Amino acid sequence: MGARLIATPQSAHFPDVLRLQGGGSIRAYDLAFETYGTLNADKSNAVLVCHALNASHHVAGVYANQPKSAGWWDNMVGPGKPLDTDRFFVIGVNNLGSCFGSTGPMHVNPDTGQVYGADFPVVTVEDWVNAQALLLDQLGIRKLAAVMGGSLGGMQALGWTLQYPERVGHAVVIASAPNLTAENIAFNEVARRAIVTDPDFHGGHFYQHGVVPQRGLRIARMIGHITYLSDDVMNTKFGRQLIGEGYRYSTQDAEFQIESYLRYQGDKFSEYFDANTYLLITRALDYFDPARHFGGSLTAAFAQVQAKFLLVSFTTDWRFSPQRSREMVKALLDNRRTVSYAEIDAPHGHDAFLLDDARYMATVRAYFDRVAQELTV
Amino acid sequence: MGARLIATPQSAHFPDVLRLQGGGSIRAYDLAFETYGTLNADKSNAVLVCHALNASHHVAGVYANQPKSAGWWDNMVGPGKPLDTDRFFVIGVNNLGSCFGSTGPMHVNPDTGQVYGADFPVVTVEDWVNAQALLLDQLGIRKLAAVMGGSLGGMQALGWTLQYPERVGHAVVIASAPNLTAENIAFNEVARRAIVTDPDFHGGHFYQHGVVPQRGLRIARMIGHITYLSDDVMNTKFGRQLIGEGYRYSTQDAEFQIESYLRYQGDKFSEYFDANTYLLITRALDYFDPARHFGGSLTAAFAQVQAKFLLVSFTTDWRFSPQRSREMVKALLDNRRTVSYAEIDAPHGHDAFLLDDARYMATVRAYFDRVAQELTV
């Protein structure tokens, strides 16, 4: 392992209009990003890491003098880590519409002089990929050694292989899916309804009222958390453990440890996450469905793919189950593409993709070893 | 099949104090109930049917001149049905704290002259069973041929065999569990938080403000609905079907059929269900845990049981999974009790217990045939 990686957030400005899939457009926007490692002479060692719902461009390392500010995938990305920044030039970028530095609903629309709020245009996975491609253009990177992501980040990696097939060498798609199931959409919709019906939402223009729809955000986060964990790991971690000595018989006070855990997660989230961003990002999840333009055939959709793939799923992930990864593996094999697939027997549910699991880490490390070998040939 | 059963709601008054498990008490309360069929001369053919979260004493039949008012288990209970009211005297009772006729939070506390609201005492499965036993006393029924219920109703059936072992011949426990898992509690808690944090909840005293916390009730019901269905049946029924011709790209309008289905269910529920009742009933679910007083051993808890059992579970029920029924079967067998167990391969998730499935219906029918034979010997 090398020394602790120090991360430095940067920002790229894009004056031109970006046309969006939903019919809207955005101009004069910024993307927050970070890079780790060194771009080699022929600019062939770049790896883009795409984030999921509530993460950001701060993928790895810590900020100077902030030892607790580790990036969200710091166990995966860094010097000597599975995605080794001693070999690769890794890029993290905050997506358009997010709330961690890139242009989003809390910023001012240059066309109106007003904060976007609910008027921020709907963005899709495809739009994010287009914006990321423009960032790579600014950085002078023509082709990615790899694009990588988990969950919604995995969808962006998929999107790259479909929208810019010639610009991607490898795609690492972890705990992801080729689209959402009805149940996935249902959970997103309940979370959105909790936010939208919070009286403090004010139709998405809560900023000018000086309030935040925290009630709705709390509920949304609690629902999310349940779906990130497996029933097993919840039972192991919390089971029916009480907060007090015995039942206190209350309908409103928390009685069980799982209740105070969820309340705490909800409270924390509602302090920092933007409500309009939550709507945008869950909708991007709902809309992603590359087979849609191919009569529902994922095999037909993947015909254009050129990248080689590593897919990883986790046995107890009931949000994006192994079955969904197998669908993608099958569609790639139907097209005779090169695919590695690992189904990791981990107890942690969907969250497993962010956690340390020796087999999972070894799989990704081995895969990137191979990617690195291709570079040096 | 006989003629259409006409149901007639009745009410029983209980002037005396009922001490509750949570330390509270209630007096001068009413229980709404219905009966179907005829009690035989030796009063040995009574079957109590216990209801789950949002059902009532109206188990079977229709009300006179209301052809669409079928009871919630009308496919299971009635003349010639699996629980045959030509042979059995079936009793449905609305639980204390519910909102369909029995004394609940929207009624006046005789001690204060005020509507109970959030001050309605916490009630448990055990309390309901005690109240049901007092109703049977009024009806002159010493021993039940059987007690039957699904989900939370199954917990009450279990409770009967533990609290009044000598008063139960058979227990039919369907799609139930010996306690809630952490995930079950988590879903209940999110639903409760949605209700309690709705500004229209007013700490549970919304009645006097002339409002109803409908936002919270809607969210609660939407979450509930997701957990009642299987992922499979949601995909079959709704999949990714859109409401319109194509994507309309909106974060707030419903785009997918599953969204409008859930919104509709939430709206409907929020029009008739009492918010305080929702809190009470989900807490009764959380608290139920008969093994708690036996060092967590269900086997030890079941040592006192005398009834014979039929347990039924459904393969796609992820709320109360087959594994939970198997735990009960094992604990009963550990005690050498007579148990029949059917695991029905049905696609409908937890909701399956309310639906027509030929194997399920045949199983219950065959079991009650045997119960009926015992009566006539």
Side-chain angles (χ1 to χ4, degrees), chain B residues 217-288:
Chain B
L217 280 166
R218 284 191 197 103
I219 298 295
R221 185 53 163 180
M222 290 169 86
I223 295 170
H225 249 278
I226 299 174
T227 68
Y228 305 153
L229 300 177
S230 70
D231 195 16
D232 277 1
V233 85
M234 271 182 141
N235 276 331
T236 308
K237 220 167 155 179
F238 303 102
R240 297 180 52 83
Q241 281 173 58
L242 298 172
I243 294 163
E245 283 295 301
Y247 288 168
R248 293 178 294 196
Y249 295 103
S250 165
T251 56
Q252 295 188 38
D253 297 340
E255 278 275 23
F256 297 89
Q257 295 284 0
I258 181 67
E259 296 179 293
S260 49
Y261 170 79
L262 287 176
R263 290 187 189 189
Y264 173 77
Q265 295 294 341
D267 286 348
K268 219 174 54 174
F269 188 70
S270 74
E271 308 266 311
Y272 75 82
F273 206 84
D274 179 71
N276 285 306
T277 292
Y278 201 90
L279 304 185
L280 288 168
I281 295 193
T282 54
R283 258 313 190 215
L285 275 160
D286 292 354
Y287 284 137
F288 185 69

Side-chain angles (χ1 to χ4, degrees), chain B residues 259-336:
Chain B
E259 296 179 293
S260 49
Y261 170 79
L262 287 176
R263 290 187 189 189
Y264 173 77
Q265 295 294 341
D267 286 348
K268 219 174 54 174
F269 188 70
S270 74
E271 308 266 311
Y272 75 82
F273 206 84
D274 179 71
N276 285 306
T277 292
Y278 201 90
L279 304 185
L280 288 168
I281 295 193
T282 54
R283 258 313 190 215
L285 275 160
D286 292 354
Y287 284 137
F288 185 69
D289 187 14
R292 197 167 68 95
H293 302 294
F294 297 87
S297 164
L298 198 61
T299 297
F302 279 1
Q304 60 204 305
V305 158
Q306 296 178 25
K308 295 172 186 165
F309 277 77
L310 169 66
L311 289 100
V312 180
S313 72
F314 301 94
T315 49
T316 56
D317 183 354
W318 59 281
R319 194 165 200 248
F320 291 153
S321 71
Q323 190 201 317
R324 305 310 317 274
S325 283
R326 283 186 234 123
E327 287 173 38
M328 293 188 276
V329 170
K330 186 191 173 298
L332 289 164
L333 291 177
D334 286 344
N335 286 293
R336 297 189 167 68

Side-chain angles (χ1 to χ4, degrees), chain B residues 145-160:
Chain B
V147 59
M148 179 184 190
S151 191
L152 175 57
M155 290 177 170
Q156 293 160 61
L158 273 185
W160 264 96

